[in-house]
């Protein structure tokens, strides 16, 4: 797992073609390192909040999730859905509770409480990740069985955590954070896990910063194994959608006025943006299309 995390993160750098892992001066053969599938496919449609329910976007239409509760009084936001469609998570009570709804359940159940949790992200092991907005240097994760884990991320201490996005292969996490008087940051780090595959320990003290040319980053999402999409702006510019490589320059993806959230599919071609007034835009064939007669917020692709 460790070797896979390091290789996946570093081999996007053109000058690096291979890595060698040593522990105590002894080289650890690749055959002894458990492998993680980095070619995870996203087959399911994205999830959104629409008409006070969890809903799925299919083409130009939005359909309610069959067993979704009515969330009108729940102060709900930020839905997520697992890669296998077996469960949904979302924030309730203005971010004070992380809720989980299993596909075969009638009611959602709280799995984590906090002061102000950020948008959850579900990895390929069906572990849900989040963290406190006013961060003290740690991330929270809840396994499929309800067990909670804390992962130290010291560089976040004293920063405001905006978003957490786990890569779909489960090896890396992108963290969007800000601090007063400084440009917003997007950092990518490997996910530490124990022998059972559960989150543990602490992330790297030296994360890879991506999109360093931006002054403001409003939202971020994985859009493939080596790239992210973001709503971002350079100093003095308005926020627009961009594709950002883990290394390399950012590429602007046209213009969307008033974008508030962005979500990317596995290939980076299927991208959704919602605006603060509930408009939903879809990016296909290098063009943005507004979905007519659809009001939704907080889009997220599976995983």
């Amino acid at each position: 797992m460790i070797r896979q995390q390091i290789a996946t993160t570093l081999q996007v750098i053109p000058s690096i073609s291979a890595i060698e892992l040593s522990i105590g001066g002894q080289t650890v053969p690749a055959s002894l390192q458990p492998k993680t599938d980095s070619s995870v496919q996203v087959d399911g449609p994205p999830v959104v909040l629409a008409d006070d329910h969890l809903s799925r976007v299919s083409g130009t239409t939005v359909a309610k999730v069959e067993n979704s509760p009515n969330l009108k009084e729940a102060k709900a936001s930020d839905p997520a859905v697992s890669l296998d469609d077996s469960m949904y998570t979302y924030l309730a009570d203005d971010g004070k509770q992380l809720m989980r709804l299993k596909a075969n359940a009638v009611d959602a159940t709280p799995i984590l409480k906090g002061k102000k949790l950020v948008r959850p992200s579900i990895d390929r092991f069906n572990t849900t990740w989040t963290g406190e907005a006013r961060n003290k240097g740690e991330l929270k994760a809840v396994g499929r069985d309800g067990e909670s884990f804390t992962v130290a991320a010291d560089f976040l201490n004293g920063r405001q955590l905006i978003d957490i996005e786990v890569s779909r292969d489960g090896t890396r996490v992108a963290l969007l954070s800000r601090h007063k008087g400084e440009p917003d940051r997007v950092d990518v780090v490997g996910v530490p896990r124990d022998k059972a595959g559960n989150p543990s320990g602490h992330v790297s003290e030296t994360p890879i910063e991506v999109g360093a040319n931006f002054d403001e980053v409003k939202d971020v999402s994985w859009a493939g194994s080596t790239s992210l999409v973001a709503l971002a702006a350079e100093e003095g510019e308005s926020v627009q959608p961009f594709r950002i490589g883990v290394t390399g320059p950012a590429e602007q993806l046209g213009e969307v006025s008033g974008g508030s959230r962005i979500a990317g599919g596995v290939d980076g071609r299927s991208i959704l943006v919602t605006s603060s007034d509930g408009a939903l835009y879809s990016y296909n064939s290098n063009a943005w299309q507004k979905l007519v007669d659809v009001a939704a917020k907080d889009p997220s692709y599976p995983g």
Side-chain angles (χ1 to χ4, degrees):
M1 182 74 73
I2 296 173
R3 191 180 200 280
Q4 176 71 14
Q5 292 170 358
I6 297 172
T8 303
T9 301
L10 294 183
Q11 286 182 355
V12 298
I13 302 173
S15 60
I16 298 177
S17 59
I19 68 151
E20 183 177 272
L21 178 64
S22 298
I23 297 177
Q26 300 295 314
T27 299
V28 180
S31 60
L32 296 182
Q33 293 292 323
K35 295 182 178 180
T36 300
D37 182 10
S38 61
S39 59
V40 179
Q41 297 300 308
V42 179
D43 297 321
V47 62
V48 295
L49 286 179
D51 294 327
D52 300 319
H53 289 83
L54 299 172
S55 303
R56 306 295 290 269
V57 179
S58 180
T60 59
T61 63
V62 175
K64 187 190 80 170
V65 171
E66 186 175 349
N67 64 327
S68 171
N70 188 317
L71 301 174
K72 186 175 183 178
E73 305 297 331
K75 299 180 181 178
S77 65
D78 304 295
V81 59
S82 61
L83 281 164
D84 61 5
D85 284 342
S86 67
M87 70 177 190
Y88 298 86
T89 61
Y90 60 91
L91 297 178
D93 195 16
D94 287 332
K96 293 183 176 64
Q97 291 195 94
L98 175 62
M99 307 294 292
R100 180 165 62 191
L101 176 69
K102 294 185 177 180
N104 59 356
V106 176
D107 298 314
T109 57
I111 57 174
L112 187 69
K113 293 184 178 181
K115 294 181 179 178
K116 183 67 174 178
L117 300 172
V118 301
R119 181 180 190 171
S121 180
I122 305 174
D123 68 22
R124 67 191 298 263
F125 305 102
N126 284 354
T127 297
T128 303
W129 293 75
T130 184
E132 290 284 358
R134 295 183 64 177
N135 207 270
K136 296 182 179 180
E138 60 184 30
L139 307 175
K140 296 292 186 180
V142 183
R144 69 175 70 195
D145 60 356
E147 185 177 359
S148 297
F149 306 93
T150 298
V151 176
D154 294 341
F155 67 90
L156 287 176
N157 190 22
R159 298 183 65 82
Q160 181 184 2
L161 181 62
I162 306 299
D163 193 11
I164 175 171
E165 296 283 337
V166 182
S167 64
R168 293 184 175 98
D169 61 11
T171 63
R172 291 152 297 151
V173 60
L175 301 166
L176 169 58
S177 67
R178 64 174 53 122
H179 192 274
K180 187 176 181 179
E182 300 176 3
D184 296 344
R185 287 181 58 115
V186 179
D187 295 292
V188 175
V189 291
V191 173
R193 298 183 187 272
D194 60 23
K195 292 181 179 179
N198 296 316
S200 67
H202 59 273
V203 302
S204 172
E205 297 278 352
T206 55
I208 296 176
E209 183 179 1
V210 301
N213 56 307
F214 294 117
D215 182 64
E216 178 184 2
V217 183
K218 185 175 286 188
D219 196 25
V220 68
S221 169
W222 284 99
S225 60
T226 60
S227 64
L228 303 106
V229 288
L231 291 173
E234 296 181 0
E235 187 174 3
E237 300 293 331
S238 62
V239 169
Q240 297 294 346
F242 285 84
R243 180 183 288 113
I244 309 173
V246 175
T247 61
E251 172 194 3
Q252 185 171 340
L253 303 175
E255 295 185 359
V256 176
S257 299
S260 60
R261 287 297 177 92
I262 192 167
V266 70
D267 57 5
R269 292 191 294 269
S270 300
I271 304 170
L272 293 178
V273 165
T274 53
S275 66
S276 55
D277 62 2
L280 180 62
Y281 300 86
S282 175
Y283 186 77
N284 286 289
S285 302
N286 298 318
W288 290 100
Q289 175 187 5
K290 182 179 179 180
L291 276 63
V292 180
D293 299 327
V294 169
K297 67 175 185 175
D298 302 344
S300 179
Y301 277 87

